[in-house]
Amino acid sequence: MVKSTKQGTSTHKICVIYNTAPRYREAVFRAIDKEYDCDWYFGKTKSDIKEMDTSLLKNVTYYKTYGNPQKWYWKRNYLRLLFRRDYKNYLILPETRSISDWIFFILAYTFFRKKHFYLWTHGWYGKESGYEAKMKLWLYRNASGTFVYGDRAKMLLIEQGIPQEKLFVIHNSLDYDIQKVLRENIKTSSIYNDHFQNSSPTIIFIGRLTKVKKLDMIVDALARLRNKGEKYNMVFVGDGSESDNLKVKVKSLDLNDQVWFYGASYDEKTNAELIYNADLCVSPGNVGLTAMHALIFGCPVITHNCFEWQMPEYEAIHAGETGDFFKMDDIDDLIATISKWFAVKSDKREEVRNACFKEIDTNWNPYYQMDIIKKNIKF
C-alpha cells in the first residue's frame, strides 16, 4: 500500500477509483495526475491485462477484493472513501458485479448530494435488459456526469432518457506521444518481402490470440482466397490460448508459407515497423485496442458490423476510409470485404495511411481525452 503524502484540501482534488491500472491508460492517467490533485485507488486483482507502473502517479493506494470477479465480490475499505471530507469530486469506473459499488452509489446519491460523482465506463452496449438495464440507467441518471467511450453509447443512453448534458464521449488512447514520434521517423522496410520471399499484400493481427477474437476465420479466409487466385501474407503479432490451435489449422490448410506467427512483442519500435508495413489489419471478433494500435501507424482495419457486440474503438473505423466492416460470423462476407478492399484501395495506400493518422490525431489520444475531462468536471 502506498500512502498519500499530500496534506490539506485542494479545490481541484479528485478521488479516482479504478479496478486496475492498465498499461494502455498510462498516458491519460499521468495527464490527469499532472492537471489535478489526485488520490488514486486501484484494485489489487489478478488480471491478464498488462499494468502500468503506478509509481509514476503521485498518490496511490491499492484495495483488496474478496469473492468471485465473474459473479459477486466486495472491495475492502471502499465505502469509507465516501466519508472523506477532502473528497468532493470522484472519478470512478463502476463495476456492476461489485456489491460494494452498489452500496457506495446508493449512499452517495442519497446522503452525499453535495459531492460530485463522475463515471468512466462503456456506458451502453444495446444488449442490456431486465434488472441489469434498470440498475445501469439508475446509475447514469443520478451521476454528476458519465464519460463514455463512444458516440454510439451516448446516443443509446439519450434514447433511454439520460440527459445529453450528462454524457461526455471520452474515447480511448494508447501511448500516443511515443507512438507519434515513432510514426514520424518510420520508413517503409522490406520486413515482409524478406520473410515471405514475395511481394504479396500483408494482413496483420496484433493483440492476444484468444477465442473471442475468432482468428480462425482469418485462416479459413486466407485458404479460400488462395483457392480463387488471391494470395495474401498473414502475420499474427501476439500470443494467447488460441496460438496452438491456429498453428494446427494453418498447417492443415497448407498455409505455412503464407502465415508468420511472430509472437508477442512489447517493443513499440518493432510493433511500429510491423504495423506500418502491413497493408490491412483484420480482427474478425471484437476489435478493441487493436484498432488504436493499427490506425496510429497507418494500417486500416476490417472487423464485424454487429456493434452491440463490438468494443467502442470500432468507431474509429470509417468504411472505405480507415477500414471496413463485414457481416458478423459470415466467412463469405469477410472474404468479399477483404477482396473488395484490395481491389479498390491497393493503389491508394498513402491516402489510406494519412486517413488513419488523422483519425487518431483528432479523436483517439490523451490530449483529446484531457480536453473532454477539463471541460466537463465541475469544481
Side-chain angles (χ1 to χ4, degrees):
M1 179 177 290
V2 182
K3 298 290 186 182
S4 172
T5 57
K6 288 188 178 180
Q7 302 294 322
T9 301
S10 166
T11 56
H12 286 70
K13 191 174 187 67
I14 301 180
C15 172
V16 185
I17 308 171
Y18 230 80
N19 59 344
T20 62
R23 176 69 181 81
Y24 64 84
R25 289 223 191 282
E26 180 180 319
V28 68
F29 279 2
R30 293 180 70 178
I32 293 170
D33 198 53
K34 183 179 180 181
E35 181 72 23
Y36 300 112
D37 178 7
C38 291
D39 284 351
W40 299 85
Y41 294 87
F42 297 115
K44 201 172 185 64
T45 57
K46 293 181 180 179
S47 171
D48 60 358
I49 298 175
K50 190 174 178 63
E51 293 199 2
M52 67 173 285
D53 177 4
T54 54
S55 69
L56 298 170
L57 305 175
K58 289 189 284 291
N59 299 308
V60 176
T61 300
Y62 282 92
Y63 60 82
K64 290 185 177 180
T65 60
Y66 301 91
N68 186 341
Q70 303 304 317
K71 294 183 179 179
W72 294 101
Y73 53 95
W74 181 266
K75 299 176 180 177
R76 184 180 180 185
N77 296 328
Y78 185 55
L79 299 182
R80 67 173 60 182
L81 300 179
L82 266 177
F83 297 86
R84 287 277 299 262
R85 292 185 178 180
D86 54 335
Y87 293 164
K88 304 296 183 185
N89 297 279
Y90 297 76
L91 183 57
I92 306 170
L93 172 75
E95 298 183 86
T96 57
R97 292 190 180 96
S98 167
I99 298 171
S100 44
D101 273 52
W102 289 115
I103 297 174
F104 180 98
F105 287 111
I106 289 170
L107 293 174
Y109 295 162
T110 305
F111 299 108
F112 296 88
R113 302 300 295 181
K114 291 184 179 181
K115 294 192 175 190
H116 303 134
F117 300 93
Y118 295 93
L119 310 180
W120 190 343
T121 175
H122 281 275
W124 202 257
Y125 289 97
K127 59 180 186 284
E128 293 86 350
S129 62
Y131 178 76
E132 178 195 15
K134 290 179 181 178
M135 291 299 289
K136 287 176 77 171
L137 290 174
W138 171 83
L139 193 65
Y140 304 143
R141 191 173 294 114
N142 287 281
S144 301
T146 300
F147 295 90
V148 295
Y149 299 144
D151 292 299
R152 181 173 182 273
K154 178 177 179 178
M155 176 194 71
L156 293 175
L157 284 172
I158 291 171
E159 290 176 358
Q160 293 292 328
I162 306 301
Q164 180 173 341
E165 60 270 19
K166 280 191 170 190
L167 299 169
F168 325 119
V169 179
I170 195 170
H171 286 155
N172 225 331
S173 66
L174 291 173
D175 293 327
Y176 177 74
D177 286 338
I178 293 172
Q179 292 171 333
K180 193 175 180 187
V181 169
L182 288 170
R183 189 182 82 190
E184 289 170 349
N185 291 281
I186 203 166
K187 295 179 181 178
T188 302
S189 78
S190 61
I191 186 169
Y192 294 126
N193 287 0
D194 293 344
H195 178 84
F196 291 107
Q197 293 297 299
N198 65 52
S199 58
S200 299
T202 297
I203 298 170
I204 191 172
F205 173 83
I206 183 165
R208 291 198 41 87
L209 310 185
T210 58
K211 203 170 187 67
V212 71
K213 296 299 181 180
K214 303 178 181 179
L215 301 173
D216 57 315
M217 289 183 69
I218 302 178
V219 179
D220 285 329
L222 283 176
R224 289 176 56 180
L225 283 162
R226 177 196 58 191
N227 293 341
K228 69 173 195 168
E230 295 181 44
K231 188 173 181 180
Y232 302 101
N233 300 320
M234 177 71 212
V235 57
F236 289 103
V237 183
D239 204 352
S241 57
E242 284 297 290
S243 180
D244 289 342
N245 291 335
L246 289 170
K247 289 175 182 177
V248 169
K249 191 176 187 70
V250 165
K251 185 176 181 180
S252 70
L253 293 172
D254 194 25
L255 289 169
N256 282 332
D257 65 332
Q258 289 180 240
V259 179
W260 183 8
F261 286 95
Y262 188 90
S265 172
Y266 300 105
D267 180 74
E268 201 63 350
K269 186 176 181 180
T270 299
N271 294 335
E273 182 184 16
L274 291 165
I275 296 168
Y276 184 87
N277 285 283
D279 298 286
L280 180 67
C281 174
V282 176
S283 182
N286 59 50
V287 69
L289 293 170
T290 292
M292 302 290 92
H293 217 168
L295 295 174
I296 183 65
F297 294 122
C299 186
V301 181
I302 285 177
T303 190
H304 74 75
N305 68 350
C306 194
F307 300 144
E308 59 263 38
W309 292 99
Q310 268 293 2
M311 303 301 282
E313 292 82 5
Y314 85 87
E315 292 185 9
I317 302 169
H318 303 287
E321 297 178 18
T322 60
D324 211 340
F325 300 96
F326 71 97
K327 295 176 185 176
M328 184 178 179
D329 296 333
D330 188 329
I331 184 68
D332 292 322
D333 199 50
L334 173 59
I335 291 168
T337 305
I338 292 173
S339 287
K340 186 180 82 169
W341 179 266
F342 284 108
V344 174
K345 297 294 182 179
S346 60
D347 61 344
K348 298 180 180 178
R349 188 66 187 90
E350 281 307 305
E351 178 184 316
V352 170
R353 186 174 275 132
N354 288 327
C356 295
F357 294 163
K358 182 179 179 181
E359 178 61 24
I360 297 297
D361 293 347
T362 304
N363 298 309
W364 304 84
N365 60 75
Y367 300 102
Y368 171 90
Q369 292 179 294
M370 279 306 300
D371 187 52
I372 296 299
I373 289 171
K374 287 159 68 176
K375 283 179 179 177
N376 293 293
I377 289 185
K378 309 298 182 186
F379 290 92

